[in-house]
Amino acid sequence: MTFAPRSFVRPRAAFTLAELLVACGIVTILVGIVLGGSSHAIETGQATRARADLARISQALDEYQHRYGDFPRTDQPADLLQSLLGRRGPDGEPCDDAPLLDLSQLDISNDNGSAAVAGGAILDPWRRPYVYIYKVPLAGWTNPEFVLCSLGAPGTPLGPLAAGGYWDSAVRANSSVLIAGGN
């Protein structure tokens, strides 16, 4: 029996430990950049959507004021929704008018999922009800408009209103709150 001569087999080239650590470090940095950029894009998108919602709600409130001669007098999110659905007059009296708001463009929450039932609220992109205040039992309310805002990301408190029911952006708690124009 004869055997063929064995040829010398070169060991395969491999990465060194240092090269693997450098590659892992570069991948980690790139992932951090991508995730950081996407979270900023998400936050920007939520703020843009909140501003668009605030504009829609403000327009509906202006139409409400034109229809009834006043804005809804409430600070309850469910009462605001019922008012803009044409089911509640300025002082809370029931009515049956055409809706002033297209609900298909807004996020509505309710215990049983129906916006037509009392208890629903218009939610901002952070799933919190928009804040609406107008002529609630505050002594000395002189603001001819309303206060409408989104508190933004959870954990943001609403600071106090200025005298007369006006928005006070000088209050530190109100600095990151998105408000509707004209307040």
Side-chain angles (χ1 to χ4, degrees):
M1 239 196 229
T2 59
F3 291 100
R6 290 183 128 192
S7 62
F8 177 71
V9 180
R10 291 181 81 189
R12 290 187 185 183
F15 290 110
T16 65
L17 180 60
E19 291 171 330
L20 286 175
L21 290 175
V22 168
C24 287
I26 291 171
V27 168
T28 302
I29 290 170
L30 291 175
V31 166
I33 290 170
V34 169
L35 291 179
S38 65
S39 68
H40 177 70
I42 290 169
E43 291 170 14
T44 302
Q46 288 173 321
T48 301
R49 180 168 165 237
R51 285 187 191 94
D53 287 353
L54 288 168
R56 282 185 196 99
I57 297 167
S58 292
Q59 181 180 8
L61 285 165
D62 288 338
E63 291 175 23
Y64 186 95
Q65 192 263 350
H66 181 71
R67 180 185 288 177
Y68 296 106
D70 201 2
F71 296 105
R73 295 182 181 195
T74 185
D75 62 352
Q76 299 300 312
D79 292 343
L80 173 64
L81 177 59
Q82 292 302 307
S83 296
L84 297 179
L85 289 175
R87 298 191 173 145
R88 186 176 185 276
D91 289 322
E93 69 276 3
C95 58
D96 190 21
D97 290 328
L100 299 165
L101 202 54
D102 180 7
L103 297 181
S104 67
Q105 298 176 350
L106 297 167
D107 188 6
I108 307 298
S109 172
N110 194 311
D111 292 338
N112 60 5
S114 172
V117 181
I122 305 169
L123 300 180
D124 67 11
W126 297 273
R127 308 273 312 144
R128 295 167 47 167
Y130 284 101
V131 176
Y132 168 79
I133 307 169
Y134 178 71
K135 290 190 180 178
V136 294
L138 292 176
W141 182 283
T142 59
N143 183 354
E145 293 286 320
F146 49 84
V147 174
L148 178 64
C149 65
S150 167
L151 298 179
T156 306
L158 178 65
L161 297 177
Y166 290 92
W167 182 257
D168 191 353
S169 59
V171 174
R172 186 167 189 257
N174 291 341
S175 63
S176 64
V177 173
L178 300 169
I179 63 165
N183 294 295

